[in-house]
Amino acid sequence: MTKNTIQSIKGFKDILPDEVGYYDFIENVIAHVTEQYSVSQIRVPIIEKTELFNRSIGNDTDIVNKEMYDFIDKNGDSICLRPEGTVSIIRCALEHNLIYDRGVKKQKFWYYGPMFRHEKPQRGRFRQFNQFGIEYFGFKNTESDIEIIFLLNLIFERLSIDNGITLHINSLGTKEDRLNYKNIIKQHIDKNIGKLDDNQKKTLKNNPLRLLDSKSENMIDILEGIPPLYDILSTESKSRYDLLLKKLDSMKIQYIHNNTIVRGLDYYNDTVFEWRHELLGSQNAICAGGRYDNLVEELNQTPVPAIGFAMGIERIVEILKHVNQSLSEIYNIIPIINITSENNTYCALQCRELREIMPQKRFFNTDSTSSLSSQLKHAMKMNSHFIILITDENIKDSSFTVKTHANKMNDIIVTKDKLLEMLSKLHDDDCSVQDELDDDFETPGEPDE
Ligand code: ATP
Ligand code: MG
């Protein structure tokens, strides 16, 4: 790259081929699990009227206050790159009468796509990032909270990142409960007001609940001893939350009741949750959400109870990179090395046939103009468990050469039927195969290097 090469904008990142596979994998899991739960996909535009977010998210929230990518377009209209999905989904659902039409309609939607927030770029925090989210409309009881938790647990399991994840849960009660609690926070902090910095003073004035999830030492000290929000919940909210926790206990769903989960946005009530992963640094929330039973009414005077969450895909990619040795193991990429002499079509035809017979498998042809050792190096990087080679010798007797981890990557000559059998036995999760070395296998000597 020369000095004058134009680079991408700070906080906006390219997703290179090595990474795209992780995104594909996550998107496939999402598509499958949402299908199992019969949740319908909605795709909304990336740009909305700025007013939509100002009206719903809350003027005193980080998003509206400082993170909005809003600008005036050529018509003089104030428009905005969407900072989150929930509000756009509600806008769309109302516009098309999907959730209210002379009464509440019960619907379950999911979305996936880029969101934009003008915040300080750092590990786990970008200005363009992807979110997957679900919104349930018309469902009020604790069953819907539980269904969402189950669905997410299934996604984490399928992604094999369920180890290290903790569900933090809290109840924000009603609007009145939160107003009462804001006063309790103000009273509690009153005698220590001099210890607050300017930002904290601003938060105390505009959105005091947010002080509860502050990571700064002085705030943690100041807030010590404050009665938890739970203690002042209204009877209805308290018994709803108690029932939810009782059900989670009886189903042995692990969670941490966490009084500091308050969420940044104004629209939540009752259940709020956040999933955190231990492998991430300080930005360890991978997914967050809660109930927002009054938001639709605020936007449209039609009361539609709702619950939803949004998952940060970039943070999931970071975890996957930690827990999976390589992308190929997610994908079972099977490298094929062609070392037949030039000008013959045998390898190309065999590979085409393999792809036709085994459409679910992924084969990668290495560059046949490179030396055997560099092709092998490339292949081993992709898959150190199973590699196919096609040599001039193989052409003569229509066989294949296979290297497997179980056979210490020594060459084994196999018939096409045997190769297909071995391929069909490849373990989906680790790409290895337990060889049963039959008599018809030939093992000609030491592994190549
Ligand atoms: P945080 O406390 O990390 O700022 P948030 O409360 O702003 O999160 P939400 O708006 O609830 O987050 O978004 C849900 C999820 O989206 C987060 O848990 C996180 O995984 C992801 N996320 C939010 N902001 C970003 C960002 N700037 N870059 C990457 N991922 C993000
Ligand atoms: Mg944020």
Side-chain angles (χ1 to χ4, degrees):
M1 191 174 64
T2 65
K3 241 168 77 186
N4 294 331
T5 312
I6 297 172
Q7 295 184 26
S8 61
I9 305 169
K10 204 174 155 197
F12 290 74
K13 73 184 193 98
D14 299 310
I15 301 172
L16 303 181
D18 271 358
E19 259 196 322
V20 166
Y22 290 105
Y23 285 81
D24 272 351
F25 172 55
I26 297 167
E27 287 161 27
N28 285 338
V29 168
I30 288 169
H32 189 228
V33 172
T34 48
E35 200 177 314
Q36 282 189 291
Y37 275 82
S38 302
V39 182
S40 317
Q41 190 186 173
I42 291 198
R43 299 185 189 189
V44 286
I46 284 171
I47 295 182
E48 298 275 2
K49 291 179 182 163
T50 308
E51 184 196 352
L52 176 70
F53 299 105
N54 285 345
R55 263 179 57 187
S56 46
I57 295 180
N59 281 325
D60 297 323
T61 58
D62 282 352
I63 291 188
V64 168
N65 234 345
K66 45 186 189 201
E67 297 171 1
M68 293 269 271
Y69 262 98
D70 51 344
F71 48 90
I72 305 294
D73 75 357
K74 287 183 174 155
N75 299 332
D77 298 325
S78 178
I79 58 173
C80 174
L81 294 175
R82 61 181 186 193
E84 59 114 67
T86 304
V87 174
S88 299
I89 296 291
I90 297 176
R91 196 265 314 132
C92 161
L94 289 172
E95 196 168 322
H96 301 280
N97 299 327
L98 300 181
I99 54 173
Y100 198 90
D101 190 7
R102 283 161 292 163
V104 175
K105 291 164 125 184
K106 295 177 193 299
Q107 297 277 16
K108 302 177 183 182
F109 297 129
W110 69 275
Y111 64 88
Y112 179 97
M115 305 295 159
F116 304 83
R117 295 185 195 173
H118 199 283
E119 42 189 343
K120 194 170 158 223
Q122 53 193 285
R123 181 183 171 197
R125 208 178 273 300
F126 306 96
R127 289 183 170 174
Q128 175 177 338
F129 58 98
N130 288 283
Q131 280 186 339
F132 152 62
I134 281 193
E135 317 293 350
Y136 280 14
F137 294 102
F139 295 87
K140 197 160 170 43
N141 63 10
T142 53
E143 295 298 310
S144 50
D145 304 30
I146 287 168
E147 186 171 307
I148 296 254
I149 293 172
F150 274 8
L151 182 152
L152 275 165
N153 282 349
L154 183 58
I155 288 182
F156 298 142
E157 247 172 59
R158 295 263 165 89
L159 293 171
S160 303
I161 59 166
D162 43 331
N163 275 336
I165 284 185
T166 332
L167 162 63
H168 293 249
I169 191 164
N170 194 13
S171 173
L172 293 183
T174 62
K175 204 171 185 174
E176 206 172 27
D177 295 342
R178 289 190 299 286
L179 264 178
N180 291 337
Y181 198 59
K182 282 175 186 175
N183 286 330
I184 291 179
I185 295 174
K186 283 181 177 158
Q187 279 163 19
H188 187 89
I189 290 184
D190 202 35
K191 50 187 180 298
N192 284 309
I193 196 101
K195 293 184 188 162
L196 270 57
D197 64 29
D198 286 349
N199 268 337
Q200 289 169 333
K201 278 184 192 151
K202 225 193 231 162
T203 312
L204 178 65
K205 185 165 166 266
N206 298 329
N207 197 355
L209 277 178
R210 281 283 9 208
L211 293 173
L212 285 182
D213 69 3
S214 162
K215 287 173 187 125
S216 85
E217 296 273 324
N218 81 324
M219 190 44 66
I220 294 170
D221 284 352
I222 291 170
L223 285 174
E224 212 185 293
I226 189 166
L229 174 55
Y230 174 83
D231 286 0
I232 59 114
L233 288 181
S234 55
T235 319
E236 202 184 322
S237 282
K238 196 180 254 178
S239 54
R240 188 186 192 284
Y241 189 53
D242 288 343
L243 177 66
L244 175 63
L245 297 192
K246 206 170 128 199
K247 285 183 176 178
L248 292 177
D249 287 337
S250 75
M251 291 184 293
K252 306 218 170 350
I253 308 292
Q254 307 244 322
Y255 64 86
I256 293 175
H257 161 69
N258 185 339
N259 186 48
T260 69
I261 302 287
V262 291
R263 313 292 306 118
L265 317 181
D266 275 0
Y267 54 59
Y268 288 106
N269 66 280
D270 287 318
T271 313
V272 280
F273 33 50
E274 192 170 297
W275 281 258
R276 295 178 182 168
H277 199 284
E278 66 186 16
L279 281 177
L280 299 175
S282 49
Q283 314 317 330
N284 62 357
I286 51 171
C287 181
R291 299 205 65 86
Y292 49 95
D293 293 329
N294 305 307
L295 179 58
V296 178
E297 188 167 14
E298 276 168 33
L299 284 167
N300 195 47
Q301 285 97 49
T302 47
V304 181
I307 179 168
F309 67 81
M311 180 188 286
I313 301 302
E314 278 65 21
R315 294 186 194 175
I316 305 274
V317 169
E318 196 182 333
I319 301 167
L320 283 176
K321 284 183 184 167
H322 268 88
V323 295
N324 286 286
Q325 282 171 359
S326 76
L327 189 61
S328 55
E329 290 191 3
I330 298 173
Y331 268 128
N332 275 351
I333 294 175
I334 300 149
I336 304 178
I337 296 176
N338 176 8
I339 38 171
T340 60
S341 32
E342 234 183 304
N343 298 331
N344 75 64
T345 53
Y346 182 81
C347 181
L349 291 172
Q350 292 301 317
C351 293
R352 185 177 73 177
E353 201 183 320
L354 282 179
R355 289 189 174 95
E356 277 165 7
I357 299 174
M358 308 211 119
Q360 75 284 16
K361 296 270 183 252
R362 291 167 183 236
F363 298 99
F364 184 96
N365 292 86
T366 55
D367 171 22
S368 61
T369 60
S370 301
S371 68
L372 171 61
S373 69
S374 70
Q375 287 193 64
L376 264 174
K377 235 185 242 164
H378 189 184
M380 288 288 283
K381 257 193 210 159
M382 266 182 282
N383 187 339
S384 55
H385 285 91
F386 197 96
I387 297 171
I388 301 171
L389 292 95
I390 300 180
T391 68
D392 284 330
E393 291 305 307
N394 293 137
I395 300 182
K396 283 185 204 145
D397 57 2
S398 303
S399 62
F400 292 83
T401 303
V402 173
K403 286 175 179 294
T404 70
H405 187 254
N407 194 35
K408 300 193 173 62
M409 299 315 264
N410 285 310
D411 288 353
I412 316 165
I413 312 293
V414 295
T415 61
K416 186 184 287 179
D417 284 348
K418 191 68 205 177
L419 173 67
L420 294 176
E421 189 192 324
M422 289 173 95
L423 285 171
S424 64
K425 280 188 191 159
L426 273 183
H427 296 176
D428 281 341
D429 50 353
D430 66 1
C431 225
S432 64
V433 64
Q434 280 300 318
D435 298 321
E436 307 120 25
L437 281 175
D438 294 341
D439 291 343
D440 56 326
F441 285 7
E442 223 178 276
T443 314
E446 289 303 298
D448 305 301
E449 226 1 282

